[in-house]
Amino acid sequence: MRPIRPGDRGPAVREIRRVLADLDLLVPADGRTADAFDPPTERAVRAFQQSRGLSVDGRVGAETWRALDAARWRLGARTLYHAVPEPITGEDVRSLQERLLEMGYDVGRADAIYGARTARALAQFQREVGLTPDGSCGPHTLDALRRLGRKVVGGRPQWLRESDAIRQSGPTLVGRTVVIDPGHGGTDPGVVVQDGPLRWNEADLMHDLASRLEGRLAAAGVRVQLTRGPSPQRYLPDTDRAELANSLGADVFISLHLDEHRNPDAEGVATYHYGTDNGVTSATGERLAGLVQREIVARTGLRDCRTHAKAWDLLRLTRMPAVRVEVGYLTSPGDRRRLVDPRFRDRVVEAIVAAVQRMYFPIERDVPTGSIDVSELRAVVAAGRAPQS
C-alpha cells in the first residue's frame, strides 16, 4: 500500500484518527478535520510508532497500518482461540502471550498471532489452575490470569529456555542453516546516493555484502539461503522474508541494511533485535545483536550506535534468533567511503561470521571480541572432511 502521509485526506485517515483517539493518543476531531492527516495526527502516529517499536517516520505504511489494526483489540474484549487457517491476531493476543511468558509458559515469541503454540501454553495454564484445558481465552481464564502473580520470579524463563536450546545444540557451525536477507531489491533500491559521477544504492551494496557472507559461512560448513537474488523482478515484503526463513527451519536470520539521514554527519552501525516497549524480548536475538554489534565495531572502527529492541515484522515473525544490521549511513561521506570498498565489506563479513560462531559458544567459554580468526573456521571444516574425501 502507498504510505498515508501528512496532508492526506479521506476515509483511511478517518479510520487512523479513530484508532488513535481510542488509544488516547489523539483528541477526537470535529467533522471538518476528522479525515485530515494534520500535524496533531502526525504527532500521534509518531507516538504510536515509538510505543510499538516501529520505525518512527510519522507515516502510515503497511507495517504501521497492521499495528494500528491490531491495536483495536484490548485483552478481554473478545474470546481468543486457535483458528485455522486464518489465526486471530491483535494487541490482545500479544498481551496474553506476554502475560504467559511472564508466568513461565512457552509461547515462543510474543508475535500477536494466536497459533498452536500459544493455545498449548494456555491449555497448560488452564490445566494447572483447574480450568477446562481447551486453549481458548474467555472470561474465566482471563479472571485466573489476572488473579495470579508471576509464576517465575528473579529470572527470565524465555532466556533460560532459549539459552538451553543453544547450549544443547553444541558449538559447531557445521550443518546449521542461516538465512541472509539483503534488504530492499526489485522496485525498491533503498537508500540512493549520487556521489559525483557515481551512483550508489543500498540494495546492490547489501546484496554484494550478503553474497560475501554467504561464501564465508558456507566455507565454515553452514547451509546458507539468501532471500533474494541480485536483480529480483519484484520487491519481497518483510512478512514474506520472515515466512521464507521459518519454512526453511533456519537457525539464524540476518537482515542487512544501510541507513540514511538528512544530516551528513550521522554515521555508524546499529543492530536490532525483537523486543517490545514493556521489556519482552527475544533473548537469543538480543545476545546475537550484541555480538554482531561489538564484532563490527571492533573490526571496522565504525561508530557504535548500539543495539535496540524493535517490533518490526521482520523480527517479530521470525521464529529463530534474528537481527537487522544497519551497517552504516550511505548518506555519510565517511561511512560511504568505507562501505564502497570491497575490502571493508570483507571485514564486516568476518565480524558477522565471528558473532554467529560466538553465539553457539557456551557463555562461560566465550572469547574476547575480535579474537576469532574466521579463516581458521574454514580450515577446521576442511580438516574434518579430509578423511572422507
Side-chain angles (χ1 to χ4, degrees), residues 6-80:
D8 287 350
R9 303 184 72 99
V13 176
R14 183 186 296 271
E15 186 62 18
I16 291 167
R17 292 183 59 105
R18 189 190 68 76
V19 175
L20 292 170
D22 289 345
L23 296 172
D24 296 325
L25 295 173
L26 185 68
V27 175
D30 58 30
R32 292 173 300 169
T33 60
D35 64 350
F37 202 129
D38 55 10
T41 303
E42 181 184 1
R43 289 193 294 271
V45 167
R46 288 179 177 274
F48 174 80
Q49 291 169 326
Q50 182 70 40
S51 70
R52 293 306 191 275
L54 304 173
S55 298
V56 182
D57 58 10
R59 300 180 300 171
V60 180
E63 191 165 35
T64 298
W65 181 266
R66 284 192 293 271
L68 282 165
D69 187 57
R72 304 168 188 268
W73 298 103
R74 306 290 181 89
L75 187 57
R78 57 178 174 172
T79 297
L80 300 174

Side-chain angles (χ1 to χ4, degrees), residues 76-226:
R78 57 178 174 172
T79 297
L80 300 174
Y81 56 92
H82 181 209
V84 178
E86 292 295 331
I88 295 174
T89 62
E91 193 67 19
D92 51 348
V93 177
R94 190 182 79 156
S95 297
L96 172 63
Q97 291 170 326
E98 292 176 352
R99 178 70 170 134
L100 289 169
L101 282 171
E102 288 177 351
M103 301 177 71
Y105 295 97
D106 182 13
V107 302
R109 191 160 298 176
D111 58 8
I113 301 172
Y114 204 101
R117 196 167 179 178
T118 299
R120 286 195 299 269
L122 186 66
Q124 182 184 352
F125 166 78
Q126 291 169 322
R127 189 177 299 110
E128 292 179 1
V129 298
L131 297 173
T132 302
D134 59 6
S136 64
C137 185
H140 296 301
T141 299
L142 193 58
D143 286 344
L145 284 166
R146 288 170 173 163
R147 285 198 312 270
L148 298 176
R150 289 190 177 187
K151 184 177 180 181
V152 179
V153 179
R156 293 162 64 185
Q158 193 67 7
W159 165 261
L160 298 174
R161 190 179 294 116
E162 293 182 7
S163 298
D164 185 63
I166 292 289
R167 179 186 294 271
Q168 293 295 327
S169 69
T172 182
L173 292 181
V174 177
R176 299 193 188 277
T177 299
V178 173
V179 171
I180 306 170
D181 173 44
H184 306 279
T187 56
D188 178 13
V191 184
V192 179
V193 172
Q194 191 74 35
D195 187 6
L198 301 175
R199 186 174 185 269
W200 304 102
N201 74 68
E202 177 183 3
D204 290 346
L205 285 169
M206 290 303 95
H207 185 269
D208 176 83
L209 183 64
S211 298
R212 293 168 186 268
L213 180 56
E214 177 186 24
R216 286 299 184 92
L217 286 170
V222 176
R223 293 189 294 264
V224 185
Q225 173 73 47
L226 268 61

